[in-house]
Amino acid sequence: MDTEWAYDRGSFLLLQARPITTLAPEYQEALIDQSVPWVSLVKRPFSLLEYSIIGHWTDPQHAAADLGFLHLNRVLGIQDDANLTHLCLSGPGVEEAMSHLLDVQKKDRARLIHMLEKGQRLYDEGIKRVENKESFSELREVFDYFCEVGKFTVVLPAWLLLALEAGGVEDAEAHRLAEDLRAHSVYPRLVHEVLHPFVAEYARKAGFSAPEEAPHVISWDELERGLDLEIMEERLLAKRAGHHFVYQQIDDQVQVRFLPETGYLLMRLADSRLPAASSDGDCLTGQTAWPGFHRGRARLVLSSNPEGYSIEEGEVLVSVQSNPNLMPLLRHAGAIVTDEGGVACHASIVARELKVPAITGTGRATSFIHDGDFIEVDATSQTVRIIERA
């Protein structure tokens, strides 16, 4: 514990105490492979089962013949306190995949267009499957189908749009086909209306106590090997206790953990990159003290004394720096933003203790943000954005 105390006229007084948050096991242990840098791409409400299939979209077995230029053998998923899973891939793998995709567009464009058109056909078939409530007869059929749909209706169009933009390439037809697939994705409906019910029924027949929650406590690799009901029941208890999963796949090695706190891992990933300067006039950047996402009204506190200030539950406290005197205000904040400070400053310690998104060291938050502005704090991406000026 970090304690503050006093000795007054023969009496020992304990003023306040709080956990030393950076000593948590999840912060100290090497829970994920960091031999190469990870790049966090998106965060979505993926189930463990859904995310584990994503890891196979671009593996050698399923991508080599079709998406050889998107062969990625390292996948990391970290579920946060909001039950959003952060999709992370290896930095070098991402760069290589983008380069290969541009190369295919330049040298074998007909093949690229053919694959985009295949994605459209799979989209149409997927819509029919959902509307007709068609299911599957066996696990392998489920897996192969979802890998196919994922590759051609999700991965290919998304990465192609990124590559075309990054490379400054004009290709109206490819861009249109990719945009159509991205704008009308069938994959989420297939997951929730086909995949999850199929696996839930499979778990029910096997005797799992909560079959509807089976997709949240088992990966595809584990499902294919055969249900281990003991592990599933343990994870179910952990999930109901607020634990979150970490899924890591490197080549054909898969590791699944359920942890009481994953924010430390997300902080570690955020600390591995410097905040990029933003050219957006309504955005500033800083250092993540605790990851997360929050929107609320800004309340500027420009004094170390809380008297005269008030903050409603969920509003964002914006200050030059934080100190123990401001605890009555900080306890109500939905997020914290400061001009000064780093990972060991008071605001960072309090954010980790209260588990609220916080960005420190912005340099100019109190001059950039006005009292009453409606702002967005994305502490995972290290940005603060003005949504609406007061």
Side-chain angles (χ1 to χ4, degrees):
M1 299 291 286
D2 177 13
T3 62
E4 296 181 10
W5 54 273
Y7 187 77
D8 180 39
R9 292 186 291 274
S11 297
F12 178 82
L13 307 174
L14 184 64
L15 303 181
Q16 67 172 336
R18 65 171 58 87
I20 302 177
T21 51
T22 52
L23 297 182
E26 293 84 0
Y27 193 60
Q28 298 295 325
E29 297 176 17
L31 299 178
I32 60 176
D33 186 297
Q34 291 190 284
S35 57
V36 298
W38 293 100
V39 175
S40 179
L41 297 179
V42 298
K43 49 187 176 181
R44 299 285 187 274
F46 297 125
S47 66
L48 173 59
L49 177 68
E50 179 186 3
Y51 193 86
S52 66
I53 292 179
I54 290 174
H56 291 283
W57 286 354
T58 56
D59 68 12
Q61 177 184 352
H62 296 90
D66 303 310
L67 308 182
F69 49 87
L70 286 179
H71 170 204
L72 299 164
N73 62 348
R74 297 174 63 89
V75 178
L76 172 67
I78 303 177
Q79 191 179 44
D80 64 21
D81 292 339
N83 291 320
L84 296 175
T85 303
H86 298 244
L87 190 158
C88 307
L89 301 174
S90 71
V94 169
E95 294 177 5
E96 183 179 353
M98 297 285 279
S99 175
H100 279 297
L101 187 51
L102 286 174
D103 195 51
V104 170
Q105 190 276 337
K106 180 180 179 180
K107 298 179 180 178
D108 196 358
R109 183 177 175 277
R111 175 179 165 225
L112 184 65
I113 297 299
H114 174 75
M115 288 190 290
L116 289 169
E117 290 172 341
K118 180 177 180 178
Q120 186 61 57
R121 290 193 297 274
L122 285 169
Y123 167 82
D124 294 336
E125 293 169 6
I127 290 293
K128 292 179 181 178
R129 181 178 287 274
V130 169
E131 293 178 346
N132 296 334
K133 301 186 183 305
E134 298 177 23
S135 189
F136 298 88
S137 59
E138 58 182 24
L139 284 175
R140 174 50 57 176
E141 184 186 4
V142 175
F143 179 68
D144 289 341
Y145 178 78
F146 274 83
C147 281
E148 195 80 349
V149 174
K151 284 188 299 184
F152 290 104
T153 73
V154 181
V155 174
L156 177 60
W159 283 64
L160 177 60
L161 290 172
L162 290 173
L164 292 177
E165 181 180 2
V169 177
E170 294 288 341
D171 189 328
E173 183 182 14
H175 195 281
R176 176 183 58 79
L177 291 170
E179 283 280 14
D180 285 346
L181 288 169
R182 293 294 293 156
H184 306 96
S185 177
V186 70
Y187 196 84
R189 290 191 64 188
L190 283 168
V191 167
H192 294 289
E193 299 180 43
V194 178
L195 176 64
H196 283 184
F198 178 89
V199 173
E201 178 62 16
Y202 190 84
R204 184 190 66 78
K205 291 178 179 178
F208 183 50
S209 65
E212 71 285 351
E213 295 194 60
H216 301 281
V217 296
I218 191 169
S219 71
W220 170 259
D221 308 83
E222 295 165 333
L223 182 65
E224 192 174 32
R225 289 196 299 268
L227 297 184
D228 187 323
L229 295 181
E230 183 177 351
I231 289 179
M232 291 176 67
E233 297 290 355
E234 289 177 0
R235 289 178 181 174
L236 179 63
L237 292 176
K239 177 178 177 293
R240 290 176 174 176
H243 294 201
H244 304 292
F245 73 78
V246 176
Y247 175 91
Q248 180 176 258
Q249 176 186 329
I250 299 178
D251 294 323
D252 58 351
Q253 299 298 311
V254 173
Q255 182 183 72
V256 178
R257 295 173 182 260
F258 273 73
L259 302 176
E261 183 54 71
T262 57
Y264 296 104
L265 294 177
L266 293 170
M267 284 176 60
R268 184 175 296 168
L269 290 178
D271 289 344
S272 69
R273 66 184 192 276
L274 294 174
S278 173
S279 59
D280 189 335
D282 291 328
C283 182
L284 77 161
T285 56
Q287 185 173 12
T288 296
W290 186 257
F293 181 90
H294 183 76
R295 284 183 172 184
R297 293 287 173 191
R299 291 298 165 222
L300 265 65
V301 178
L302 303 178
S303 169
S304 60
N305 189 334
E307 291 184 15
Y309 292 96
S310 63
I311 183 170
E312 298 293 328
E313 200 71 35
E315 292 184 329
V316 181
L317 188 144
V318 181
S319 63
V320 175
Q321 59 183 357
S322 174
N323 68 81
N325 292 335
L326 298 182
M327 280 305 298
L329 303 178
L330 290 165
R331 291 187 185 280
H332 297 285
I336 302 168
V337 180
T338 68
D339 289 352
E340 302 174 357
V343 294
C345 73
H346 181 265
S348 295
I349 294 171
V350 170
R352 292 193 289 271
E353 180 182 348
L354 300 179
K355 304 295 188 291
V356 297
I359 295 180
T360 62
T362 64
R364 58 190 184 97
T366 55
S367 58
F368 175 77
I369 300 169
H370 304 155
D371 191 71
D373 286 351
F374 189 71
I375 67 174
E376 173 185 284
V377 180
D378 188 342
T380 305
S381 299
Q382 300 173 278
T383 59
V384 183
R385 187 178 302 278
I386 305 296
I387 302 299
E388 179 184 50
R389 285 291 187 184

